[in-house]
């Protein structure tokens, strides 16, 4: 809301030259000047008239001349001051009047004279006050007009220079105003969109209800498909609102192209699925390879006995086992080709945004501590965030039926490594030696959560370990700081048997 300070303007009108309050050169000559100057003129005029009435002996009274100083008095004084001035002029008129004064004649005469003087002053007073109010009102209108014009210019500049597509449309869906960003988004020549139906480019806006005059405005956001002038389809987020004007209902909308975000999100999801799938397949291959090794040992014992050395079926079985062992020995390696330097504070902020609401609903008190001087760490952003989410969700489930529910997340430098510690009060792990093993019994799903988390961390030279603490569990994520922009092959560890204990 724009506020206007009218007190300085009122003072300027009150103390300015009163020639602006009257029309004509005579009024400008006598009534011009400040309030003090006008009062001094009135006093001087009253003194001159009284002196002339006293010195000049004539049957004609000069009392009617007091009407002129009353005009001065009425232009600058308030009502009670005008009444005092009128009484003074009445008294001076009666003192220097040659007519005899009696109660029956003088009192009505003085009343009429006072009414004439006071009436003249009050008339001028009301006239001046009306003109002053008119000027003040005109000044207010001018101030509002200038402020509105400035606000409109600023808003126009803001809309025109905004990189976000902004437009307004009428009740029939025809564009009224659109900035340059809308034309670029829809691949239209600049300035050609107004007057054209927006439904040709954003068909979903056809379903927006047109409000009545008395209905409340409608504000919301939606995701929809859009179409450019050249026929290209894109995904868009549209923030829009409806409102009512004297010309009818209107629609204002802000449009953002989210196609690139969709592609990035889908590619990231596909990368996560492929990475997890490779790790799962590697785990299965490891178990199959162990079984094949045991079968091979049995075959060697039978072959040394010589009982089945000439048996064709036994030889075929050996061939099948070697083929299965060869398939299982195919090691699906995880590489760090997607890893980059990650700012750990920003990632923890994203984690906090994701889990904060869920932790509050579960009445879990969360403490966040991070060293402000932490360097960049070498990691794949989405994978690392997935590991953090897995650890916090495990902690949340562990504290579900605990009376004390506290989760402490701390990031600090420990030697040449960066450690992020997740400590909860969930009661601890019953069999710590079985952690990080795939397909373990008693798990809620496949038992791959911690196994995949540690495998993902090791894919970019990180690690995950567990330490028992009092009343809970402590999982420590260890990451390598970024020391250079070059990454050699040593930064791409393989998922061998030694890294999947």
């Amino acid at each position: 809301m724009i506020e206007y300070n009218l007190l300085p303007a009122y003072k300027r009108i009150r103390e300015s030259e009163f020639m602006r309050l009257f029309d004509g050169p005579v009024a400008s000559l006598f009534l011009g000047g400040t309030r003090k100057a006008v009062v001094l003129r009135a006093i001087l005029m009253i003194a001159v008239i009284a002196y002339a009435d006293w010195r000049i002996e004539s049957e004609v009274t000069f009392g009617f001349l007091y009407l002129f100083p009353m005009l001065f008095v009425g232009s600058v004084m308030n009502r009670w001051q005008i009444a005092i001035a009128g009484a003074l002029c009445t008294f001076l008129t009666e003192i220097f009047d040659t007519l005899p004064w009696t109660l029956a004649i003088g009192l009505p005469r003085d009343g009429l004279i006072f009414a004439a003087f006071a009436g003249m002053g009050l008339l001028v007073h009301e006239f001046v006050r009306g003109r002053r109010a008119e000027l003040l009102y005109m000044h207010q209108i001018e101030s509002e007009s200038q402020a509105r014009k400035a606000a409109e210019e600023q808003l126009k500049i803001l809309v025109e220079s905004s990189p976000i597509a902004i437009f307004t449309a009428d009740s029939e869906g025809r564009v009224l105003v659109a900035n340059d960003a809308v034309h670029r988004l829809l691949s239209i020549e600049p300035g050609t969109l107004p007057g054209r139906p927006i439904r040709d480019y954003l068909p979903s806006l056809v379903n927006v209800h047109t409000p009545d005059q008395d209905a409340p405005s409608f504000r919301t956001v939606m995701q929809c498909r859009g179409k450019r002038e050249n026929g290209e389809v894109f995904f868009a987020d549209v923030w829009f609102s409806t409102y009512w004007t004297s010309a009818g209902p209107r629609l204002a909308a802000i449009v953002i192209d989210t196609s690139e975000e969709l592609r990035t999100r889908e590619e990231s999801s596909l990368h996560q699925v492929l990475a997890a799938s490779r790790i799962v397949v590697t785990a299965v291959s490891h178990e199959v390879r162990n079984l094949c090794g045991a079968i091979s040992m049995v075959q060697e014992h039978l072959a040394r006995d010589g009982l089945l050395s000439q048996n064709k079926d036994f030889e075929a079985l050996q061939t099948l086992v070697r083929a299965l062992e060869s398939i299982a020995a195919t090691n699906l390696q995880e590489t760090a080709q997607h890893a980059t330097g990650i700012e750990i504070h920003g990632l923890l902020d994203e984690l906090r945004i994701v889990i904060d609401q869920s932790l509050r609903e579960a009445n879990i008190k969360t403490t966040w501590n991070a060293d402000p001087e932490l360097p960049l760490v070498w990691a794949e952003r989405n994978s690392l965030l997935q590991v953090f989410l897995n650890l916090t969700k495990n902690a949340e489930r562990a504290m579900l039926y605990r009376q004390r529910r506290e989760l402490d997340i701390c990031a600090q430098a420990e030697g040449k490594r960066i450690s992020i510690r997740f400590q909860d009060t969930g009661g601890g792990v019953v069999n710590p030696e079985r952690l990080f093993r795939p397909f373990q019994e008693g798990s809620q799903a496949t038992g791959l959560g911690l196994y995949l988390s540690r495998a993902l961390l090791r894919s970019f030279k990180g690690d995950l370990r567990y330490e028992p603490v009092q009343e809970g569990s402590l999982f420590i994520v260890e990451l390598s700081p970024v020391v250079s922009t070059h990454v050699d092959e040593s930064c791409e560890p393989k998922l061998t048997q030694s890294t999947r204990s």
Side-chain angles (χ1 to χ4, degrees):
M1 180 181 294
I2 302 176
E3 296 183 357
Y4 306 95
N5 188 0
L6 299 179
L7 183 58
Y10 180 82
K11 289 182 178 179
R12 287 195 299 270
I13 293 174
R14 181 180 178 88
E15 298 177 358
S16 64
E17 296 182 357
F18 281 92
M19 59 188 303
R20 299 180 181 178
L21 301 176
F22 300 94
D23 297 326
V26 177
S28 300
L29 177 63
F30 289 100
L31 298 179
T34 62
R35 182 175 184 270
K36 184 176 181 181
V38 174
V39 172
L40 290 176
R41 289 175 194 159
I43 294 174
L44 180 60
M45 187 174 294
I46 292 174
V48 171
I49 296 173
Y51 180 77
D53 199 10
W54 172 52
R55 299 296 298 177
I56 300 174
E57 296 182 0
S58 174
E59 295 181 357
V60 179
T61 180
F62 292 96
F64 70 93
L65 295 177
Y66 290 112
L67 292 174
F68 294 100
M70 289 303 301
L71 185 141
F72 285 78
V73 171
S75 64
V76 295
M77 293 185 175
N78 54 34
R79 291 186 177 88
W80 67 270
Q81 292 173 337
I82 293 172
I84 293 175
L88 175 62
C89 292
T90 302
F91 174 76
L92 294 175
T93 301
E94 189 63 41
I95 287 296
F96 299 112
D97 194 359
T98 57
L99 298 176
W101 189 92
T102 60
L103 184 61
I105 298 175
L107 187 61
R109 183 176 65 218
D110 292 342
L112 292 175
I113 294 173
F114 174 78
F117 292 155
M120 173 60 73
L122 293 174
L123 177 64
V124 175
H125 173 77
E126 295 299 326
F127 175 75
V128 171
R129 191 178 67 170
R131 290 298 300 271
R132 186 181 292 122
E134 181 181 353
L135 289 177
L136 188 63
Y137 181 67
M138 291 178 61
H139 179 79
Q140 179 180 355
I141 292 177
E142 291 176 358
S143 300
E144 292 178 353
S145 178
Q146 293 175 0
R148 188 179 297 110
K149 184 177 180 180
E152 290 176 354
E153 291 178 353
Q154 294 175 4
L155 181 61
K156 183 178 180 180
I157 294 174
L158 176 63
V159 172
E160 290 296 334
S161 61
S162 174
I164 302 176
I166 304 174
F167 69 90
T168 59
D170 58 14
S171 58
E172 297 179 356
R174 295 189 178 276
V175 178
L176 298 176
V177 179
N179 63 354
D180 292 338
V182 179
H183 295 84
R184 292 194 299 269
L185 176 66
L186 302 179
S187 300
I188 302 176
E189 291 294 328
T192 60
L193 184 59
R196 302 171 67 174
I198 193 61
R199 66 175 63 92
D200 295 343
Y201 307 98
L202 296 170
S204 298
L205 290 179
V206 178
N207 300 324
V208 177
H209 175 68
T210 302
D212 298 329
Q213 184 174 2
D214 298 331
S217 58
F218 185 63
R219 301 180 181 91
T220 188
V221 59
M222 70 176 180
Q223 295 179 334
C224 63
R225 288 186 178 90
K227 185 174 67 174
R228 295 186 171 92
E229 183 75 6
N230 56 10
E232 181 183 351
V233 179
F234 64 95
F235 286 90
D237 286 348
V238 182
W239 287 264
F240 66 90
S241 63
T242 58
Y243 59 97
W244 187 270
T245 65
S246 58
R250 293 289 185 264
L251 170 72
I254 299 176
V255 186
I256 297 179
D257 186 357
T258 58
S259 301
E260 187 64 28
E261 296 180 5
L262 178 64
R263 286 190 291 267
T264 303
R265 184 170 62 251
E266 294 301 324
E267 290 176 359
S268 176
S269 299
L270 178 60
H271 169 67
Q272 293 293 327
V273 171
L274 293 177
S277 300
R278 284 194 294 267
I279 295 173
V280 173
V281 172
T282 302
V284 175
S285 299
H286 172 66
E287 301 299 329
V288 172
R289 190 163 58 248
N290 291 338
L291 293 177
C292 289
I295 295 174
S296 297
M297 293 180 61
V298 174
Q299 287 179 332
E300 290 177 1
H301 288 300
L302 293 177
R304 281 197 299 267
D305 292 341
L307 299 177
L308 300 175
S309 59
Q310 302 300 324
N311 191 300
K312 300 297 181 180
D313 292 334
F314 181 71
E315 293 179 358
L317 179 61
Q318 285 181 322
T319 302
L320 293 176
V321 171
R322 283 195 294 271
L324 182 60
E325 187 176 10
S326 176
I327 294 174
T330 302
N331 199 359
L332 301 179
Q333 300 178 357
E334 274 292 318
T335 63
Q337 59 181 350
H338 295 283
T340 57
I342 301 298
E343 204 274 319
I344 199 66
H345 293 94
L347 191 65
L348 289 177
D349 289 340
E350 292 184 18
L351 175 67
R352 188 170 187 172
I353 293 173
V354 174
I355 68 173
D356 197 45
Q357 181 65 29
S358 176
L359 295 179
R360 282 202 305 267
E361 292 177 355
N363 295 324
I364 296 177
K365 180 182 178 181
T366 309
T367 304
W368 301 80
N369 295 300
D371 188 350
E373 303 297 331
L374 290 178
L376 298 179
V377 296
W378 183 252
E380 200 279 318
R381 190 178 191 87
N382 293 328
S383 298
L384 185 58
L385 181 60
Q386 188 65 38
V387 171
F388 289 171
L389 285 173
N390 184 38
L391 294 177
T392 54
K393 288 298 181 183
N394 287 345
E396 182 180 346
R397 287 193 295 268
M399 293 185 289
L400 185 60
Y401 301 104
R402 306 287 296 186
Q403 184 176 2
R404 182 186 174 193
R405 303 178 185 181
E406 297 180 3
L407 175 61
D408 184 16
I409 301 176
C410 177
Q412 61 186 8
E414 295 182 356
K416 297 182 179 180
R417 305 277 274 182
I418 306 300
S419 299
I420 298 92
R421 307 166 71 91
F422 295 81
Q423 182 175 348
D424 62 70
T425 57
V429 178
V430 178
N431 299 312
E433 67 279 358
R434 297 177 59 185
L435 286 175
F436 310 113
R437 293 182 181 179
F439 312 109
Q440 52 180 294
E441 298 178 359
S443 59
Q444 293 185 355
T446 59
L448 290 173
L450 292 175
Y451 173 78
L452 291 177
S453 296
R454 189 167 70 170
L456 288 172
L457 289 172
R458 288 181 172 179
S459 69
F460 39 79
K461 295 191 68 177
D463 201 0
L464 176 62
R465 56 188 177 89
Y466 168 79
E467 291 184 3
V469 293
Q470 186 178 5
E471 297 185 13
S473 302
L474 173 60
F475 287 89
I476 303 175
V477 175
E478 294 183 345
L479 300 171
S480 300
V482 176
V483 294
S484 66
T485 57
H486 175 70
V487 181
D488 55 21
E489 293 181 355
S490 64
C491 294
E492 302 177 0
K494 299 179 181 180
L495 289 177
T496 59
Q497 181 176 356
S498 61
T499 63
R500 294 194 305 271
S501 58

